[in-house]
Amino acid sequence: MDLELFDHLISDAIEGIIVTDLEGTVISSNTTSCQTLGHSAEDLAGQFIGVIFPQKSILHLLPNLMRLAGEGAGFAGEILLRSSASEEIIVRLRVDRYPQTDPEYLLFRFLDWREINDLLQELKDTSQLAILGRLTRSAAHEILNPIAAIGGFARRMSDNLPKDSEESMWAQQIAANVQVLEYLVKTVQNFINLPAPSFKMMSIGDILDESIADTEQELASRGIQLTRKRAKEYPRIFLDPGLLKKALTAILYNGIGRMPEGGILAISDYPDRKNHRMIIDDSGPSLKPHQIEDDLSPLHVMRAIETDLNLVIANRIVEDHGGEMELVSIDPAGLRVTLTLPLDRRRVSRTTIT
């Protein structure tokens, strides 16, 4: 067997592949098989193929697999393999004999069903979320009309009642609460209706400059000092300039809103070979441990962080760019928002390249 040809053709195959001689001694293994089993290629080389089977399978199943393959019958089916941590893994295994080579060898090919099941579950969840999104979009549209009508009636009542009367106060409270509801429903609509990114090769530094410019007036009116630690060089990566500007502006306004009596908003950039990491710190009040979760879901943000959904929209945009967004409470006071965007566009989720 030409091992160089084997390494070239299947070293990065999606399937886990282990090559043995007819006695089951490992000759070669590819990257996927090593990652699935938790062994290195050096660990497997020269070992008996039984090293990857549970003990109970080595005595009964493995000899039968070897016999079938040796007779040219082959084998295909679900089977248990064992990881280096003694974890039993269900895989779809195929064993074939290649007698036309010199020397002859056996090829063990397997797919990790854990990953396949994860993909199937993700597909199911995505389908359910799509249905929920359509229902929410329809409900938000239907709710907005009566809310607007109630708010209009409350404002008219307030205008036509004596200013100091108890009834006028109630009407004003109704109008104020309706205004909050209108804002929340519209923000939910904006979240649901976010378009898929349309990527262009751009510098994230330029987009950040525009976002800062849009907030300068608000920063000045609240007496907030902006500090910025610029990167030495901003790489050009695939971005949707409109959506990313929307996300960055929302994060900046979130920090501004947390400092009504002034403070410091600090922005730092740390690009490396794989990612561009941006850190935005404010000097507002610290959040309690239960107020910060990995899940930046709309319900969590509304309930625990007590802010609007713009932070959730920003997180959605960052995720659609293949990136991550993290909230960390700063001691003794402040909130840190960390954005990590990949430089490799192949890592993004919903992609349109222009």
Side-chain angles (χ1 to χ4, degrees):
M1 179 180 60
D2 188 340
L3 290 181
E4 290 186 4
L5 179 61
F6 166 81
D7 289 337
H8 177 71
L9 292 177
I10 58 178
S11 60
D12 292 323
I14 295 176
E15 289 181 305
I17 298 177
I18 294 178
V19 182
T20 76
D21 59 20
L22 295 185
E23 283 71 43
T25 302
V26 177
I27 300 172
S28 186
S29 54
N30 72 343
T31 302
T32 304
S33 65
C34 294
Q35 290 177 342
T36 302
L37 299 172
H39 291 286
S40 67
E42 292 75 16
D43 291 338
L44 290 176
Q47 295 284 345
F48 178 56
I49 190 66
V51 73
I52 68 170
F53 283 88
Q55 190 67 34
K56 57 188 176 184
S57 300
I58 295 177
L59 300 176
H60 304 287
L61 178 61
L62 181 57
N64 287 323
L65 290 178
M66 301 288 285
R67 180 182 58 81
L68 286 171
E71 294 175 356
F75 171 85
E78 291 181 22
I79 225 163
L80 282 176
L81 297 185
R82 181 181 59 203
S83 72
S84 60
S86 298
E87 176 189 7
E88 293 187 345
I89 308 166
I90 299 178
V91 302
R92 180 75 177 176
L93 177 70
R94 182 176 182 87
V95 187
D96 293 301
R97 177 188 180 191
Y98 286 81
Q100 67 273 22
T101 61
D102 186 20
E104 297 180 22
Y105 67 92
L106 300 176
L107 190 65
F108 289 76
R109 298 183 294 170
F110 52 90
L111 284 173
D112 188 346
W113 279 82
R114 295 173 303 174
E115 294 185 4
I116 295 174
N117 287 333
D118 289 344
L119 290 173
L120 291 173
Q121 185 62 44
E122 183 177 342
L123 181 62
K124 180 181 177 181
D125 293 343
T126 301
S127 176
Q128 292 175 340
L129 287 173
I131 296 172
L132 180 61
R134 289 195 294 269
L135 290 173
T136 305
R137 185 181 295 108
S138 176
H141 177 75
E142 295 298 328
I143 291 172
L144 197 56
N145 289 332
I147 286 178
I150 293 171
F153 287 132
R155 286 187 288 270
R156 289 189 62 182
M157 289 174 60
S158 176
D159 292 340
N160 288 284
L161 289 169
K163 296 299 181 183
D164 297 330
S165 65
E166 189 175 9
E167 290 80 4
S168 176
M169 181 187 66
W170 292 341
Q172 291 174 18
Q173 289 181 349
I174 293 172
N177 283 281
V178 166
Q179 189 174 8
V180 172
L181 286 174
E182 285 179 325
Y183 178 77
L184 287 175
V185 172
K186 288 179 180 178
T187 309
V188 168
Q189 287 180 321
N190 290 336
F191 176 78
I192 295 172
N193 295 325
L194 272 178
S198 179
F199 294 113
K200 299 178 182 178
M201 184 70 81
M202 293 193 65
S203 166
I204 191 173
D206 296 337
I207 300 174
L208 180 57
D209 288 339
E210 293 179 9
S211 298
I212 292 174
D214 288 349
T215 61
E216 283 181 349
Q217 185 174 353
E218 191 70 18
L219 289 167
S221 66
R222 299 201 182 203
I224 296 174
Q225 178 186 357
L226 176 71
T227 65
R228 183 174 176 187
K229 182 180 179 180
R230 292 179 175 270
K232 293 181 179 179
E233 183 179 356
Y234 286 92
R236 292 174 60 82
I237 59 179
F238 280 96
L239 304 168
D240 184 311
L243 285 177
L244 193 59
K245 179 183 175 183
K246 184 184 185 74
L248 292 176
T249 304
I251 294 170
L252 293 178
Y253 271 113
N254 177 75
I256 293 171
R258 287 172 33 81
M259 300 180 289
E261 298 181 1
I264 298 175
L265 191 65
I267 306 173
S268 305
D269 289 288
Y270 301 95
D272 56 34
R273 292 183 178 181
K274 294 184 178 181
N275 301 292
H276 185 100
R277 187 160 56 98
M278 182 183 302
I279 297 177
I280 302 173
D281 293 339
D282 65 57
S283 58
S286 294
L287 298 180
K288 297 178 182 178
H290 74 275
Q291 291 179 296
I292 296 183
E293 295 178 358
D294 291 335
D295 178 21
L296 276 172
S297 65
L299 289 178
H300 168 67
V301 172
M302 291 170 63
R303 180 182 68 252
I305 303 181
E306 298 179 350
T307 184
D308 57 43
L309 292 179
N310 283 326
L311 208 58
V312 181
I313 292 174
N315 182 58
R316 168 79 175 277
I317 293 171
V318 171
E319 287 181 343
D320 281 348
H321 279 72
E324 297 177 351
M325 182 169 143
E326 181 184 15
L327 304 183
V328 177
S329 189
I330 304 173
D331 189 32
L335 178 68
R336 168 169 293 176
V337 181
T338 302
L339 276 68
T340 305
L341 294 171
L343 304 187
D344 186 349
R345 67 177 173 84
R346 290 175 295 181
R347 288 173 53 192
V348 301
S349 52
R350 304 188 297 164
T351 311
T352 304
I353 306 295
T354 59

